[in-house]
Amino acid sequence: MTVAAAHGRSRRKHVYEDGALRVRFPHADDLEAVILNTAGGVAGGDILALDIAVGEGAELTVTTAAAEKVYRSLGEAATIDVALKIAPGAVLNWLPQEVILFDGSRLSRRIDVDMADDARLVIAEAVVFGRTAMGEAVINGQLLDRWRIRRVGKLMLADTIRLDGAIARHLDQRATAAGCCAIATILIAPCSDEQVANVRAEKFSGEVGISAWNGFALARLLAPDGEELRGDLKLVLGALGAPLPRIWLN
């Protein structure tokens, strides 16, 4: 999918859909893309690929219609590859709803971003291990989550989370998640000291930490369940001045 600025507004330029992935644009007054997975979830061996380019001066917010469920795998991992390109003066807010992992699921996800020097980016990704409201837990499985953020071709951030095997035991460790089963990462670039201070001044249900260097900030969130994590995500994004997708407010 590509979007471009025209006559003072951001508009779709090219949209290609294949397989179970679809994209809808429900609002006429601003460009918000809502991604749907008509398969109802992701199973072992599935491969999902999203390629999004925001043209010069354009602005786009991307979210998902629902939480993405990753089901138990009998062998291969499910693969999600995301490629994001942001041209000079462009803005991309990548704000999907959470990924829910089921017990025995295997997920390999890669997010690659190539942004111009004066582009603006917000990414928020959340992962919930099991549907806690239904008493579910993830005992075993695999999560490999790799982010590579480049500005003008120069690597700005390389971040990898790998949990393999006894996930519940890993999450119980204090250095990992201290018993929490809902985690999230938020990146914003550029980010000011004032925005960071706004986040640190908030009162959260779970644990939130934020660091800033080289003009961008990275926040980590931990919560005992998905509902508390969603509330903290909204607080962090609000403190950073990032937009909330309308579907998050329903």
Side-chain angles (χ1 to χ4, degrees), residues 42-45 68-79 99-108 127-130 137-144 163-167:
V42 184
E68 187 66 273
K69 301 177 181 67
V70 182
Y71 298 111
R72 179 173 178 264
S73 172
L74 298 178
E76 295 182 77
T79 300
V99 171
I100 300 176
L101 301 181
F102 283 61
D103 190 32
S105 63
R106 299 170 62 86
L107 173 64
S108 175
V127 178
V128 180
F129 296 87
V138 175
I139 307 302
N140 292 285
Q142 182 187 72
L143 171 65
L144 178 59
L163 295 170
D164 199 355
I167 283 183

Side-chain angles (χ1 to χ4, degrees), residues 3 12 25 31 45 64 68 84 92 108 136 163 177 192 215 250:
V3 301
R12 291 167 282 176
F25 301 86
L31 195 60
T64 53
E68 187 66 273
L84 307 174
L92 174 61
S108 175
E136 297 175 352
L163 295 170
S192 68
N250 295 338

Side-chain angles (χ1 to χ4, degrees), residues 36-88:
L36 301 87
N37 181 0
T38 60
V42 184
D46 286 354
I47 299 175
L48 303 183
L50 299 100
D51 193 334
I52 297 173
V54 185
E56 187 170 354
E59 183 171 346
L60 174 68
T61 296
V62 182
T63 188
T64 53
E68 187 66 273
K69 301 177 181 67
V70 182
Y71 298 111
R72 179 173 178 264
S73 172
L74 298 178
E76 295 182 77
T79 300
I80 300 177
D81 289 328
V82 179
L84 307 174
K85 297 178 182 179
I86 317 169

